[in-house]
Amino acid sequence: MRHNPADVYEVQPELCAGCLICQLRCSYAFHHEFNPSMARISIAPSGGIYGQGRMVSFTPECTACDLCVKHCGYGALKFRDQS
Amino acid sequence: MNNNVGFAGRILYVDLTTGQIRKEPLDVRTASQVIGGWGMNALLAYDLIKPGVHAYAPENPIIVGAGVLVGTLSPCCDKVFATYKCPATHVVGTAVGGNKLGATLKWAGYDHVVVTGESPTPVYLKVVDDDVEICDASAIWGKNIDEATDVLSRERGAGAAVACIGPAGERLVNTAMVLINKCSTFGRTMGGVLGSKKLKAIVVEGTRGLQVADGRRFMKTVDALTESHRQDPLREQWIKLGLYFILPVWAKAGHFIANDGAEVYPENEAVERFGPAVYEKLKRRSEACAACMAGDKVVLDLREGKFAGATASFSCPLVAVLAFGVKCRLETLDQAFACLDLANRYGLDALGLANMVDWAVGLYEKGIISIADTGGLPLRRDYETSVILIEQAARNERFGAILAAGWLAAIRRFGPDAERYATHVKGGDPDFDPRVTFGVETLGQATNPRGAHDMPAGGIMIALGRQPEFFAKMARRMGFPENENLSLEPPGANLGRYLAHYENWCTVLNGLGICFRMQSSRLYDAAACAELYTAATGIDVTPTQLVEAAERAYNVYRAVNALHGFGRKDDRFPEKWLKGALRLGERELRLTDYFKTAPVHPNDFERMLDDYYDEKGWDVATGVPTREKLIELGLEKIAADFP
């Protein structure tokens, strides 16, 4: 079943360090290559390289498979509290 | 889609004089003989950097190369290297950077970029996959690194990496720096080389991606290393403070050297003025290189100086303390960050400049130079003087220009009295004083062909008080051969022989692109490196074979510099390290072995070098690789150039 990432994930872009591990995990899982441009999660600087932090978004193909959340080491991606 | 595995499989050659751009296949077999990445840079340098070439000549190439595992998920692996003839030191040196330049290069389909020639007008190099273009940079020539990088990253979009010079590089300041994405320092002397080519920046964006030969096998090791990092008891500290957490430890150990190498900066003052509690109030957030699990680059608020109110990004905020805070005796961390930020925006080597200011103030106080030499500027260790000298250095004018020309040029100008107090090796700036801890990192500052740059793969002997068993364990992890001569058991601890192999391990890390910072390199051992290399490239290597390839690469690096006239005569310690005392509170620190059991005299130092060259298989008298050794390593073509 397809989940909407916005329903499942809590995103705190101000904590994103830009390591791109989420994108690399995603592109490897779905395309067997390390390629951020093919990831279903997008990490983009906002307001210049370090100006306003980063924007984190998901492509329509994202099924909220949890891979990016599990591998975020900086707390920018978490599971939303479902309680 | 990129059909190569591990390696991207191409070298990009750009001639700025003719405008010619060509892409050639990487000879993977040749690259793998020296691992690739850093080692392949050395091989290219051997062919392309001719003895006698001037650093600012169009023929001096800039050879950029990414580590073999860069661009993959191998943790903390995003190092990129640049090899060139250095203007301040005249060595053929390899600089290290990070922050996604290497990763984007690999994703664009290149392992290396070689830039030669000289453009008649300011340009920047744009690399977007197969689309490579030499673009007009007249609109950003003259802008500082922060401004120019913003312009270029806006043009290219989110995924681009921008390596850029500031006004100092444009004006051919010898110690000008390149910054990657405004933050990651890249080449303490490379800025002027780009400036001499009228090359403002290299901008890279890659969407071709990268595959590995055996994904299942590769990810098994990646997952194990990732888990190991998650279990690291210090992980929370790394995330929260990065390397800055070590400030109180280093302050206590004595690594903050002040007053022109005469004394250790007071521990309490260091912690009170610059410590983590002060730092945390300024830090906004962490920044990380690609695939880094312990990102300790930082974005923080500036509250002092010309750019107060703006944010700054630093690759290593601790440098602000080590450099300006301690050397220039600044009052606050705000002042130290303001100085580092100013130097970064102008594209200056902050650490080198602060060392030179500290030395010059000492000369001024001793009467070796006078106010007539400084152009009327009274030299003091304070914030105002530091800012004035940074501004002068960036404009390559007045007294600041003399300092920013580097140690060798300044010594020529001030004479032999001044040289006695200088702290450099081959014109390069040391990071650590061996009178505090005499280990592989500090001895390696003498033997490194680049100059006094340490190769601190985990800082194993920067930390004080470790026991011989620790070094025996580390030797196994680093893939040393089983050899009782490599024991660091006192008495008779053989630092020279241990260093000879330690450099090979550092070269493994460099070849693969693994970060040297302790929170990163400590994840890896030779077995894991060989496993990842094999799985990524499909080239079967054992840990021993990988270390042998590293040894081959290091021999090439040494051989290039031997052709340029460097050898044992240049592998020197500053006189003050061998004969002088460093005051630590009431105590005097003199050069002593790591375990603090016996003094190290100048003749002991020479014996260590004897052992080091002997262990390397080099000529002990000259410190140059022998023909026999080069042939043994399969470097017959290079061997033909050596007696």
Side-chain angles (χ1 to χ4, degrees):
Chain A
M1 190 177 104
R2 184 188 185 282
H3 294 284
N4 183 346
D7 297 334
V8 186
Y9 301 157
E10 184 182 334
V11 181
Q12 289 183 270
E14 69 277 11
L15 295 179
C16 176
C19 68
L20 310 185
I21 287 175
C22 55
Q23 291 189 319
L24 292 168
R25 285 275 172 184
C26 180
S27 68
Y28 184 77
F30 294 103
H31 301 282
H32 299 290
E33 65 181 82
F34 301 108
N35 190 346
S37 71
M38 296 182 84
R40 297 172 179 186
I41 178 170
S42 166
I43 307 293
S46 168
I49 285 187
Y50 305 116
Q52 309 297 322
R54 289 192 168 78
M55 289 184 296
V56 179
S57 58
F58 300 89
T59 70
E61 291 77 30
C62 174
T63 57
C65 72
D66 302 348
L67 198 58
C68 55
V69 178
K70 283 178 187 161
H71 286 95
C72 178
Y74 297 93
L77 298 171
K78 289 179 180 164
F79 292 110
R80 198 175 283 283
D81 183 355
Q82 300 292 325
S83 61
Chain B
M1 170 79 139
N2 184 354
N3 291 321
N4 286 288
V5 286
F7 293 96
R10 292 191 298 181
I11 304 178
L12 175 64
Y13 290 91
V14 178
D15 185 332
L16 295 174
T17 303
T18 63
Q20 189 189 45
I21 293 166
R22 65 180 209 278
K23 298 151 193 165
E24 293 192 358
L26 173 76
D27 180 346
V28 170
R29 189 177 171 279
T30 299
S32 65
Q33 294 299 303
V34 288
I35 298 178
W38 186 96
M40 189 62 197
N41 264 28
L43 267 185
L44 289 165
Y46 196 88
D47 285 339
L48 298 174
I49 306 179
K50 303 299 180 194
V53 70
H54 191 282
Y56 294 147
E59 296 77 24
N60 185 23
I62 299 166
I63 302 164
V64 178
V68 176
L69 298 180
V70 170
T72 73
L73 267 167
S74 192
C76 311
C77 190
D78 189 22
K79 285 299 169 198
V80 63
F81 306 93
T83 307
Y84 55 97
K85 179 81 176 272
C86 302
T89 59
H90 315 305
V91 302
V92 176
T94 294
V96 188
N99 217 357
K100 306 179 188 74
L101 180 65
T104 51
L105 203 57
K106 295 284 290 287
W107 298 329
Y110 307 97
D111 300 286
H112 301 271
V113 178
V114 179
V115 182
T116 52
E118 177 187 337
S119 169
T121 56
V123 294
Y124 71 91
L125 177 65
K126 184 185 78 175
V127 180
V128 183
D129 297 336
D130 287 341
D131 174 19
V132 180
E133 197 179 338
I134 300 167
C135 305
D136 175 36
S138 51
I140 51 172
W141 195 258
K143 288 189 183 297
N144 72 38
I145 288 181
D146 202 75
E147 297 162 340
T149 302
D150 273 346
V151 171
L152 292 169
S153 60
R154 265 198 300 274
E155 277 178 15
R156 277 314 320 153
V162 180
C164 188
I165 61 169
E170 294 174 10
R171 291 171 182 151
L172 307 189
V173 172
N174 281 352
T175 55
M177 179 90 90
V178 177
L179 288 187
I180 302 168
N181 288 341
K182 300 184 188 179
C183 173
S184 178
T185 53
F186 194 28
R188 288 181 179 181
T189 61
M190 189 163 65
V193 181
L194 266 76
S196 71
K197 298 183 182 307
K198 297 277 194 309
L199 180 62
K200 179 70 176 177
I202 300 173
V203 183
V204 186
E205 190 177 353
T207 65
R208 288 162 57 98
L210 189 65
Q211 290 186 311
V212 290
D214 185 339
R216 191 182 296 269
R217 186 173 171 183
F218 187 79
M219 291 306 290
K220 189 178 170 191
T221 305
V222 165
D223 287 340
L225 295 173
T226 300
E227 189 53 31
S228 168
H229 194 274
R230 284 192 175 140
Q231 299 302 325
D232 188 332
L234 291 174
R235 183 161 188 272
E236 270 189 41
Q237 289 277 33
W238 296 127
I239 300 295
K240 189 174 164 194
L241 292 169
L243 191 61
Y244 212 93
F245 99 94
I246 210 155
L247 186 145
V249 179
W250 281 9
K252 185 176 183 183
H255 287 308
F256 292 168
I257 309 296
N259 196 9
D260 194 20
E263 64 184 16
V264 170
Y265 193 86
E267 176 192 354
N268 291 348
E269 214 170 296
V271 174
E272 197 176 305
R273 283 188 180 172
F274 309 125
V278 188
Y279 170 67
E280 277 188 277
K281 289 179 186 153
L282 302 174
K283 181 181 170 180
R284 270 196 185 188
R285 64 172 186 277
S286 299
E287 282 292 323
C289 294
C292 181
M293 300 181 67
D296 68 353
K297 299 187 187 319
V298 67
V299 176
L300 50 75
D301 294 318
L302 293 171
R303 300 193 304 195
E304 183 88 48
K306 199 170 174 177
F307 297 98
T311 57
S313 50
F314 297 136
S315 178
C316 181
L318 197 56
V319 165
V321 179
L322 282 162
F324 296 104
V326 166
K327 305 281 183 195
C328 300
R329 293 274 180 176
L330 302 190
E331 297 288 325
T332 65
L333 187 56
D334 284 308
Q335 291 180 346
F337 283 154
C339 285
L340 180 59
D341 176 66
L342 198 58
N344 276 357
R345 285 173 198 258
Y346 292 147
L348 284 166
D349 170 16
L351 201 56
L353 184 61
N355 286 341
M356 300 284 290
V357 170
D358 187 22
W359 173 62
V361 174
L363 299 180
Y364 187 80
E365 289 170 347
K366 294 177 186 83
I368 295 171
I369 61 173
S370 70
I371 202 155
D373 296 300
T374 67
L377 178 70
L379 286 190
R380 287 188 287 262
R381 293 184 183 91
D382 62 20
Y383 177 62
E384 288 71 24
T385 309
S386 302
V387 171
I388 289 168
L389 289 171
I390 293 169
E391 296 278 359
Q392 290 182 355
R395 290 194 294 271
N396 207 3
E397 64 180 30
R398 306 182 71 168
F399 189 68
I402 297 170
L403 301 183
W407 286 105
L408 304 182
I411 287 168
R412 271 199 306 276
R413 187 175 181 111
F414 298 148
D417 280 351
E419 184 170 17
R420 283 181 47 226
Y421 297 97
T423 311
H424 75 95
V425 181
K426 305 182 188 89
D429 285 274
D431 293 327
F432 296 100
D433 190 315
R435 293 171 294 181
V436 177
T437 170
F438 191 29
V440 281
E441 296 91 348
T442 40
L443 180 59
Q445 293 179 134
T447 58
N448 191 331
R450 175 181 167 174
H453 197 270
D454 61 310
M455 301 178 89
I460 64 171
M461 296 179 89
I462 296 300
L464 275 60
R466 284 178 164 153
Q467 299 303 308
E469 305 79 55
F470 172 81
F471 300 115
K473 185 183 88 179
M474 286 305 295
R476 289 191 292 276
R477 282 182 61 87
M478 296 188 286
F480 287 17
E482 292 289 335
N483 184 341
E484 61 185 23
N485 283 337
L486 299 181
S487 167
L488 284 183
E489 188 88 34
N494 204 315
L495 196 60
R497 292 188 189 278
Y498 200 91
L499 172 64
H501 295 276
Y502 176 77
E503 286 175 339
N504 292 340
W505 169 242
C506 293
T507 306
V508 170
L509 296 178
N510 274 341
L512 302 183
I514 296 163
C515 179
F516 271 8
R517 292 188 187 183
M518 61 181 83
Q519 64 269 44
S520 308
S521 58
R522 66 196 252 151
L523 290 174
Y524 290 87
D525 60 17
C529 288
E531 179 66 10
L532 286 167
Y533 189 86
T534 299
T537 64
I539 301 167
D540 241 323
V541 293
T542 64
T544 302
Q545 288 168 331
L546 190 65
V547 172
E548 279 170 7
E551 184 185 12
R552 202 172 288 120
Y554 204 82
N555 271 264
V556 176
Y557 191 43
R558 185 78 180 189
V560 181
N561 278 286
L563 284 190
H564 287 251
F566 291 91
R568 179 169 184 152
K569 65 181 171 40
D570 307 292
D571 294 346
R572 313 310 308 165
F573 263 6
E575 188 178 294
K576 68 176 74 166
W577 287 358
L578 289 170
K579 296 178 180 170
L582 177 67
R583 202 168 61 252
L584 171 59
E586 299 300 308
R587 290 191 295 143
E588 274 197 346
L589 302 180
R590 290 182 180 275
L591 196 61
T592 310
D593 72 286
Y594 175 81
F595 301 102
K596 309 292 182 196
T597 58
V600 174
H601 301 294
N603 55 343
D604 300 320
F605 174 75
E606 296 301 331
R607 273 198 294 274
M608 279 181 200
L609 288 183
D610 290 345
D611 288 340
Y612 167 81
Y613 302 126
D614 182 62
E615 191 70 25
K616 288 282 196 190
W618 297 348
D619 183 84
V620 172
T622 62
V624 168
T626 60
R627 176 177 287 193
E628 293 74 24
K629 182 66 188 180
L630 294 167
I631 291 171
E632 177 196 316
L633 291 168
L635 296 166
E636 285 82 2
K637 190 176 150 215
I638 292 175
D641 294 333
F642 287 81

